Amino acid sequence: MKEDGFQLYAVEKGCGQPMVFLHGNGEDSTYFDSQIKFFSKRYWTIAVDTRGHGKTERGQAPFNLIQFAEDLKQFLDSRQLKHIILLGFSDGGNIALIFTLKYPEYVDRLILNGANLYPSGMKLNASIPIFKEYLKTLTGKDKETTKDKRQLLELMVKEPHIKPEHLKRIQIPVLVIAGTRDMIKKSHTKKIFDNLPNGYLCIVEGTHFIAKENPDKFNRYVLKFLEGSGKKKSQTEQIPGWRQKMLSRKPEWTEKYLYREAAVLVPLVQKDGEWQVLFQVRSKSLKDQPGDICFPGGSIKDLETPLEAAARETVEELLIREEQIEITGTGDIVTTPAGRMVHSFLAELKDYNNTFSPDEVEEVFYVPLSWFMEHEPKGYMAAVDTRPEENDFPWDQVSQGKNHLWGSGKYEIFFYNYQGRVIWGITAKIMKTWVALLREPYETRDSRE
């Protein structure tokens, strides 16, 4: 049933591919506050209040999951939205399944969090209290005051009704994610996964409400799924077995565990009428490279992206808000023979007032970007030799034993010298890579001016 003038309330943020969130029974779009903050940096996030929830009116149409799916279609059609990412939690996951089965052309990828195909998919310790509450609403003296509550409980007691074999019609990538202590039976969650042709299963430590209780871990697993399933299906994906796996895999770093992975921000500040690059001098009380000139940044923590690590470290070291950072580009990964791997991001710092944490930073200073465009760093070559480390190295298994001729190489170390300030090592190398990326558009712009 379609109602004239009826519209779902929605909270929207970000840009890019639409990512639509459907909350659970008795909740509203605020359930996804942490997800909106996280995913709006990459997608156009749209969290709706379903019929009779939050700021969306009840209306006159039937109050059931099928109607909620029709409401979603009406909402998307009013925005001319298709090819969405659809994430549904609990009853929202059930609505998402119903919608995807009926309107597959609207959905590009699907995330089901704590969904079920039928009421008995819930554990008894969850379904029995719900059923008891439902009975109370039927026997209450003033039934009208309990009507809304009764209808909400009725959704869980009587719905959904989705046949497992119907899931085989869903050809898009689907992430099935649930908590280790979810109110949905593990066997039922696995049944959903088993019937999806292109399904992924993820069980996260936590209860039914993992997206709210542990948003960092939940968001990271969802992002990993989205990044891994973002490409359209190609002919190579029709090839079975190991050939499909080999043709579709992405190259990875070998022995990445040997590298110390870090991320830095290359901050640009509008100062004295031009763009200037901000550098900081490390506090002399630090154990690691005290007094060295560097960019704000540091090690990447578990489940962090390089960009998140760079932003977090910048906020901590320069005592600013994350909102003051506007990312303008991603740089190349720089490595060293000593086992360091550094990601870098170019960013504009807005309303920066020379603040910094004295525990980590001695001082900050600026170098005009134009100076780097006009000056090349000096490079000095360093030898890199291969030397076995272990005393019990199996020399007897190596040709020529200890006389084996090991390979050697070279590594260039760069130095910039600006008004007595020496910027060298990996910081200089990162700056050099950015100059190479920026030089052509920078010079083209200046020639027009």
Side-chain angles (χ1 to χ4, degrees):
M1 176 179 174
K2 183 176 180 181
E3 294 176 83
D4 293 336
F6 179 85
Q7 185 62 279
L8 298 177
Y9 172 82
V11 175
E12 304 179 40
K13 188 176 181 181
C15 60
Q17 184 179 12
M19 185 175 185
V20 179
F21 296 85
L22 301 177
H23 59 77
N25 187 294
E27 301 188 12
D28 58 33
S29 54
T30 60
Y31 180 84
F32 292 112
D33 283 349
S34 296
Q35 284 66 50
I36 292 170
K37 182 178 179 181
F38 181 85
F39 287 104
S40 61
K41 298 174 182 178
R42 299 167 174 84
Y43 302 100
W44 174 12
T45 57
I46 307 171
V48 303
D49 287 348
T50 53
R51 179 182 291 268
H53 291 73
K55 296 182 180 180
T56 298
E57 61 186 20
R58 165 62 180 82
Q60 300 301 315
F63 198 76
N64 56 48
L65 300 185
I66 293 176
Q67 179 61 51
F68 294 173
E70 293 300 321
D71 293 341
L72 178 60
K73 181 179 183 297
Q74 180 183 341
F75 175 84
L76 296 176
D77 286 344
S78 70
R79 307 292 189 87
Q80 297 183 327
L81 295 179
K82 284 191 177 182
H83 305 295
I84 67 169
I85 298 167
L86 185 56
L87 190 157
F89 163 62
S90 198
D91 263 0
N94 305 336
I95 298 166
L97 262 179
I98 293 168
F99 179 85
T100 304
L101 284 166
K102 192 169 184 180
Y103 304 108
E105 70 276 13
Y106 281 75
V107 186
D108 182 44
R109 283 164 288 173
L110 179 64
I111 299 102
L112 303 173
N113 174 207
N116 57 303
L117 303 178
Y118 33 79
S120 61
M122 278 193 288
K123 295 177 180 177
L124 287 176
N125 62 359
S127 61
I128 289 176
I130 291 171
F131 188 71
K132 285 181 177 179
E133 284 296 310
Y134 175 63
L135 288 178
K136 287 180 183 178
T137 65
L138 296 177
T139 57
K141 292 181 179 179
D142 188 358
K143 296 181 181 180
E144 193 62 33
T145 60
T146 59
K147 180 180 178 181
D148 292 341
K149 183 178 180 180
R150 182 173 70 249
Q151 289 185 331
L152 289 173
L153 291 168
E154 218 166 51
L155 293 175
M156 294 185 283
V157 171
K158 297 184 177 182
E159 297 192 57
H161 300 286
I162 303 170
K163 294 182 178 180
E165 56 268 27
H166 288 173
L167 302 184
K168 298 185 187 298
R169 305 203 308 256
I170 301 177
Q171 297 298 315
I172 59 171
V174 183
L175 174 64
V176 180
I177 183 168
T180 54
R181 303 184 304 280
D182 208 292
M183 63 187 286
I184 305 300
K185 299 173 184 175
K186 289 182 181 179
S187 59
H188 191 80
T189 298
K190 191 171 185 304
K191 179 176 286 189
I192 295 173
F193 164 71
D194 287 340
N195 282 277
L196 290 165
N198 198 2
Y200 301 76
L201 180 63
C202 183
I203 304 298
V204 182
E205 174 61 34
T207 70
H208 190 57
F209 305 94
I210 50 174
K212 202 169 187 69
E213 294 171 348
N214 198 344
D216 291 341
K217 186 169 286 189
F218 177 86
N219 294 345
R220 184 62 47 222
Y221 282 123
V222 172
L223 179 62
K224 185 177 181 180
F225 162 73
L226 293 176
E227 289 183 339
S229 63
K231 293 186 177 180
K232 298 289 185 182
K233 285 193 173 184
S234 64
Q235 290 183 349
T236 61
E237 290 177 320
Q238 307 304 318
I239 301 173
W242 66 270
R243 289 178 181 270
Q244 175 181 335
K245 183 177 180 181
M246 292 300 104
L247 286 168
S248 61
R249 78 178 296 274
K250 295 180 180 179
E252 297 180 358
W253 286 88
T254 60
E255 299 179 323
K256 188 176 180 180
Y257 65 94
L258 294 176
Y259 284 84
R260 291 175 293 158
E261 198 170 4
V264 300
L265 210 69
V266 180
L268 296 179
V269 177
Q270 278 278 10
K271 188 176 176 65
D272 300 330
E274 64 176 323
W275 288 110
Q276 303 213 23
V277 185
L278 181 148
F279 293 89
Q280 59 186 36
V281 180
R282 290 176 61 80
S283 171
K284 293 177 182 177
S285 64
L286 294 173
K287 293 181 180 180
D288 184 24
Q289 298 176 311
D292 273 6
I293 293 171
C294 65
F295 293 119
S299 299
I300 300 173
K301 295 182 178 180
D302 291 342
L303 302 179
E304 270 190 323
T305 65
L307 176 56
E308 288 168 340
R312 172 181 54 77
E313 291 282 354
T314 302
V315 167
E316 293 172 1
E317 294 171 13
L318 298 183
L319 301 179
I320 61 174
R321 303 184 312 278
E322 189 175 330
E323 292 76 18
Q324 291 176 251
I325 301 172
E326 183 173 316
I327 302 297
T328 57
T330 302
D332 296 325
I333 299 172
V334 173
T335 60
T336 73
R340 298 188 70 188
M341 179 192 298
V342 184
H343 305 256
S344 67
F345 302 90
L346 193 69
E348 178 185 354
L349 292 193
K350 297 184 175 181
D351 302 320
Y352 177 62
N353 295 314
N354 299 324
T355 55
F356 56 84
S357 170
D359 293 336
E360 299 186 68
V361 181
E362 194 77 20
E363 62 173 313
V364 298
F365 68 94
Y366 303 87
V367 180
L369 180 59
S370 58
W371 185 89
F372 286 106
M373 298 297 176
E374 297 162 2
H375 295 81
E376 291 294 330
K378 290 184 178 180
Y380 299 87
M381 302 307 299
V384 179
D385 294 322
T386 303
R387 297 178 184 176
E389 188 177 54
E390 296 84 357
N391 292 328
D392 60 347
F393 189 80
W395 291 105
D396 59 318
Q397 299 179 37
V398 177
S399 62
Q400 302 179 12
K402 291 188 177 181
N403 294 320
H404 179 79
L405 185 62
W406 295 95
S408 62
K410 294 182 178 180
Y411 178 75
E412 194 167 11
I413 302 173
F414 296 101
F415 287 76
Y416 287 102
N417 196 314
Y418 175 76
Q419 296 183 357
R421 304 270 193 179
V422 179
I423 303 165
W424 73 288
I426 199 165
T427 300
K429 192 169 188 179
I430 290 170
M431 193 66 230
K432 186 178 187 299
T433 63
W434 273 110
V435 169
L437 291 170
L438 294 171
R439 178 169 279 136
E440 183 177 346
Y442 187 89
E443 291 178 344
T444 302
R445 184 189 65 201
D446 283 354
S447 66
R448 288 200 303 268
E449 292 174 352

